[in-house]
């Protein structure tokens, strides 16, 4: 976790306040009336009402509601001045309601709250009451140190208790505590990001922590935002594996910053990896990813959400009224694939329930030079689902150009001759002069039984692509004008679509 402190853009507070107010009621104004970022506010992704957001904190499920927290800087346009924990709740993981800030900044002598995690203290181990919500949070004291905040009103507001981990090094790499309960040892376990390693600590009361072990990786850059969880393999409760997920830099593996993970075993003190490092996705804009569960998931899957941005260019992105959004909520599973055990992802099951069907065809052949099948469609937020026979009935490349118009588009292409899927956003209107933004992302995708399945979610400035039931995922921001509202399907040969569905979104802005 690095902070959204510094802005080199001084903005008028009136514009931000007005835009935030109108957005909170779900209104979208004309291009002349509002600034670039407000016009590109996603419809079904979480955004701040105004100003800046970054790291998402692990949500909690409490009495039928999912509570989500994220770092929020309401003073970003004035040059920074720290973050606090914004709060939103949902019963269906699609529609979210804004709540008052849960942990305010500068209410203690220790600075502002940074990244951490929350747990429900069902057995009152910390002494704040049964089912108190405990947040362990990094704050910028002693370099970085761990502080306990507690809530006795169901996670809506928190009070500061004390420092529970003094920084023994004084360095700035002692952060992002993630806490779980380990049932076998009856202990709380904390993971800390400590530059090139994850430190493991144990406690009986969430206050007094003992060092247990470290997991060292020197190949993924500076480690941030670790996570640890157990999942059933292929939904089999008799076959469970532990997964440690770590925010890192994939430059050694041909990807940029994102979530890496290891599959292995955990005994309550040490994690032993049984796999090489894997990457949750190949896109550039999915960072500080967090997972959580609910009683009904039964260990078969967890929910996942991340910050859709990249520190390599986060400060370079255009904005006027707000900066930042989350990914959609996804269901994440541990699945046996031809590449071994992998975490696979798919959109939360009910995301498309209120999308309107625009096109639904089966058994369709598309040929080079024919009229665009989507020629009459104009939209900014929509979904595409397709299964393509690439074994015998498709010849050549094919692809989708989303947010297409006025020379602007993002291109999603599959080349069956080399089994390569490419996401190319070089034709955005705003060309961020950073390699990680300009470089096309390439991933080898082998057909499954001769077919490729794709699900593409477009939400104004956010594009998320799920391939072959979420074995491969790419999440990216694009920076186009509203006039680029078309959609093209093309091929340089011919492509056979077993099915092709286009659905248009209702507005899902956070209330």
């Amino acid at each position: 976790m690095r902070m959204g402190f510094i802005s080199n853009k001084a903005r008028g507070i009136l514009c931000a306040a007005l835009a935030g107010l109108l957005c909170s009621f779900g209104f979208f104004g004309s291009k002349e009336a509002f600034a670039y970022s407000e016009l590109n506010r996603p419809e079904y992704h979480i955004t701040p009402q105004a100003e800046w957001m970054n790291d998402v904190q692990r949500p909690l499920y409490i009495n039928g509601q999912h509570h989500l927290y994220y770092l929020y800087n309401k003073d970003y346009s004035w040059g920074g001045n720290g973050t606090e924990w914004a709060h939103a709740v949902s019963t269906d993981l699609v529609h979210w309601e804004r709540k008052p800030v849960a942990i305010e900044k500068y209410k203690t002598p220790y600075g502002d709250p940074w990244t951490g995690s929350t747990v429900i203290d069902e057995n009152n181990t910390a002494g704040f009451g049964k089912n108190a919500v405990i947040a362990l949070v990094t704050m910028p004291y002693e370099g970085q140190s761990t502080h306990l905040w507690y809530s006795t009103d169901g996670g809506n507001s928190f009070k500061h208790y004390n420092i529970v981990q003094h920084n023994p090094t004084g360095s700035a790499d002692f952060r992002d505590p993630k806490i779980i309960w380990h049932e076998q040892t009856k202990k709380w376990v904390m993971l800390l990001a400590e530059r090139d390693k994850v430190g493991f600590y144990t406690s009986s009361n969430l206050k007094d922590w003992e060092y247990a072990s470290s997991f060292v990786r020197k190949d993924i850059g500076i480690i941030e935002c670790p996570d640890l969880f157990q999942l059933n393999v292929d939904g089999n409760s008799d076959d469970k594996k532990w997964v440690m997920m770590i925010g890192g830099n994939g430059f050694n593996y041909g990807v940029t910053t994102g979530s890496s993970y290891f599959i292995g075993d955990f005994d309550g003190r040490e994690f032993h990896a049984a796999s090489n490092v894997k990457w949750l996705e190949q896109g550039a804009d999915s960072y500080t990813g967090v997972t959580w569960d609910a009683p009904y998931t039964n260990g078969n899957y967890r929910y996942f959400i991340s910050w859709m941005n990249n520190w390599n260019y986060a400060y370079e992105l255009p904005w006027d009224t707000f900066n930042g959004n989350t990914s959609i909520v996804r269901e994440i599973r541990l699945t046996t694939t031809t590449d071994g055990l992998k975490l696979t992802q798919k959109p939360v099951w009910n995301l498309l329930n209120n999308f309107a069907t625009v096109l639904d065809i089966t058994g369709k052949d598309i040929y080079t030079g024919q009229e665009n099948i989507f020629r009459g469609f104009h939209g900014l937020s929509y979904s595409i689902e397709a299964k393509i026979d690439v074994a015998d009935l498709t010849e050549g490349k094919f692809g989708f150009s989303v947010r297409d118009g006025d020379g602007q588009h993002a291109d999603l292409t599959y080349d069956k001759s080399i089994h390569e899927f490419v996401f190319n956003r070089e034709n955005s209107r705003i060309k961020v002069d950073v390699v990680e933004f300009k470089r096309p992302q390439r991933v080898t995708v082998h057909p499954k039984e001769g077919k490729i399945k794709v699900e593409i979610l477009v939400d104004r400035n956010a594009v998320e692509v799920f391939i072959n039931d979420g074995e491969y995922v790419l999440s990216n921001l694009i920076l186009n004008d509203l006039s680029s509202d078309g959609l093209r399907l093309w091929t340089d040969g011919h492509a056979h679509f077993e099915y092709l569905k286009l659905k248009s979104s209702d507005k899902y802005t956070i209330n």
Side-chain angles (χ1 to χ4, degrees):
M1 185 282 308
R2 281 167 272 177
M3 296 310 306
F5 270 14
I6 303 169
S7 169
N8 57 7
K9 305 174 183 179
R11 303 293 178 182
I13 194 68
L14 179 61
C15 176
L18 177 60
L21 177 64
L22 291 177
C23 183
S24 71
F25 286 95
F27 298 139
F28 293 84
S30 68
K31 190 171 184 178
E32 293 74 26
F34 292 102
Y36 175 86
S37 63
E38 190 60 44
L39 289 166
N40 276 277
R41 186 184 289 272
E43 293 183 3
Y44 53 88
H45 290 70
I46 296 172
T47 59
Q49 186 166 343
E51 301 290 329
W52 168 276
M53 73 169 293
N54 59 303
D55 296 13
V56 183
Q57 317 307 310
R58 183 179 61 200
L60 281 179
Y61 182 77
I62 306 173
N63 297 328
Q65 281 191 323
H66 299 270
H67 291 248
L68 178 144
Y69 308 92
Y70 61 85
L71 295 188
Y72 169 56
N73 185 344
K74 64 186 177 185
D75 304 310
Y76 184 61
S77 60
W78 295 102
N81 195 33
T83 58
E84 48 196 6
W85 277 32
H87 182 203
V89 297
S90 175
T91 57
D92 64 3
L93 298 168
V94 176
H95 304 84
W96 293 86
E97 176 188 356
R98 283 195 182 94
K99 305 289 282 186
V101 168
I103 301 180
E104 296 181 276
K105 58 187 177 184
Y106 304 129
K107 296 297 183 182
T108 76
Y110 307 110
D112 54 324
W114 295 4
T115 296
S117 65
T118 54
V119 291
I120 301 172
D121 190 8
E122 296 179 358
N123 298 316
N124 191 24
T125 64
F128 299 108
K130 181 178 173 61
N131 293 326
V133 178
I134 308 297
L136 274 292
V137 183
T138 298
M139 297 182 74
Y141 178 74
E142 301 176 335
Q144 293 173 351
S145 50
T146 306
H147 297 244
L148 188 151
W149 294 70
Y150 66 96
S151 170
T152 55
D153 63 358
N156 288 295
S157 65
F158 289 79
K159 296 178 182 178
H160 186 262
Y161 165 70
N162 210 339
I163 301 174
V164 294
Q165 272 190 320
H166 291 274
N167 189 335
T169 67
S171 76
D173 295 305
F174 191 77
R175 60 176 177 267
D176 307 344
K178 188 64 59 70
I179 308 98
I180 67 167
W181 175 256
H182 189 254
E183 181 62 30
Q184 287 71 31
T185 57
K186 305 296 182 183
K187 292 274 191 178
W188 295 104
V189 176
M190 176 194 293
L191 286 72
L192 271 189
E194 301 176 11
R195 196 169 183 80
D196 63 354
K197 68 178 184 291
V198 176
F200 287 85
Y201 302 82
T202 63
S203 174
S204 298
N205 60 9
L206 292 164
K207 297 173 181 177
D208 303 301
W209 293 92
E210 173 194 352
Y211 170 78
S213 66
S214 293
F215 181 84
V216 180
R217 295 297 299 203
K218 296 184 179 296
D219 56 336
I220 57 174
I222 296 176
I223 284 172
E224 297 189 300
C225 302
D227 196 0
L228 181 67
F229 50 88
Q230 194 175 40
L231 279 173
N232 300 333
V233 176
D234 300 320
N236 180 3
S237 61
D238 294 324
D239 186 7
K240 303 175 186 290
K241 296 292 183 184
W242 284 92
V243 179
M244 183 164 63
M245 193 163 68
I246 305 171
N249 194 312
F251 55 87
N252 287 322
Y253 299 92
V255 295
T256 183
T257 53
S259 294
S260 65
Y261 67 94
F262 302 84
I263 301 169
D265 298 302
F266 180 65
D267 62 6
R269 294 184 64 85
E270 293 184 89
F271 178 82
H272 299 279
S275 73
N276 293 324
V277 61
K278 299 174 183 285
W279 293 88
L280 196 61
E281 67 165 89
Q282 302 295 314
D285 295 317
S286 181
Y287 197 54
T288 69
V290 293
T291 72
W292 76 106
D293 61 4
Y296 55 81
T297 61
N298 294 318
N300 292 322
Y301 64 95
R302 293 175 71 84
Y303 296 116
F304 172 89
I305 194 169
S306 64
W307 177 48
M308 280 195 72
N309 214 325
N310 190 307
W311 281 121
N312 288 293
Y313 47 74
Y315 295 130
E316 306 300 321
L317 299 179
W319 77 284
D320 293 275
T321 58
F322 79 98
N323 189 330
N325 59 267
T326 69
S327 69
I328 62 162
V329 177
R330 306 169 186 176
E331 296 173 5
I332 190 167
R333 289 170 167 80
L334 193 53
T335 306
T336 302
T337 74
T338 55
D339 296 324
L341 279 181
K342 290 179 65 173
L343 290 177
T344 58
Q345 305 173 72
K346 67 177 184 179
V348 64
W349 69 274
N350 56 333
L351 177 67
L352 303 183
N353 279 2
N354 291 323
F355 283 42
T357 299
V358 177
L359 182 70
D360 188 352
I361 58 177
T362 57
K364 181 73 173 179
D365 292 303
I366 306 297
Y367 294 90
T368 185
Q370 79 177 63
E371 193 172 26
N372 175 29
I373 193 172
F374 298 124
R375 61 190 176 276
F377 175 74
H378 294 277
L380 300 172
S381 297
Y382 49 88
S383 73
I384 304 162
E385 298 174 79
K387 180 185 278 190
I388 307 98
D389 188 322
V390 297
D392 302 312
L393 301 180
T394 292
E395 186 65 42
K397 299 178 185 177
F398 64 89
F400 298 89
S401 293
V402 302
R403 289 296 308 273
D404 180 56
D406 289 344
Q408 306 165 37
H409 45 88
D411 300 308
L412 315 177
T413 305
Y414 186 72
D415 185 342
K416 66 169 284 184
S417 67
I418 56 175
H419 307 301
E420 184 178 70
F421 186 94
V422 180
F423 192 122
N424 188 342
R425 54 183 174 177
E426 288 182 302
N427 291 302
S428 289
R429 178 182 75 86
I430 297 174
K431 303 181 188 303
V432 178
D433 191 22
V434 177
V435 170
E436 283 81 0
F437 190 89
K438 295 188 295 184
R439 178 174 53 208
Q441 296 141 17
R442 304 176 184 275
V443 57
T444 300
V445 178
H446 292 283
K448 296 178 69 173
E449 299 180 348
K451 300 175 177 62
I452 295 292
K453 287 176 64 177
V454 296
E455 183 168 6
I456 304 166
L457 298 174
V458 179
D459 194 9
R460 294 186 175 236
N461 75 322
V463 180
E464 294 168 83
V465 184
F466 302 82
I467 308 170
N468 284 353
D469 298 311
E471 286 190 29
Y472 309 93
V473 180
L474 299 97
S475 303
N476 287 303
L477 300 175
I478 57 176
L479 304 172
N480 289 2
D481 289 321
L482 295 191
S483 58
S484 62
D485 62 355
L487 174 62
R488 281 188 292 125
L489 172 61
W490 59 270
T491 176
D492 62 5
H494 56 86
H496 178 76
F497 285 77
E498 286 199 1
Y499 62 78
L500 178 60
K501 301 176 183 179
L502 172 64
K503 297 181 179 181
S504 181
S505 161
D506 287 340
K507 292 176 181 176
Y508 287 115
T509 48
I510 183 171
N511 292 320

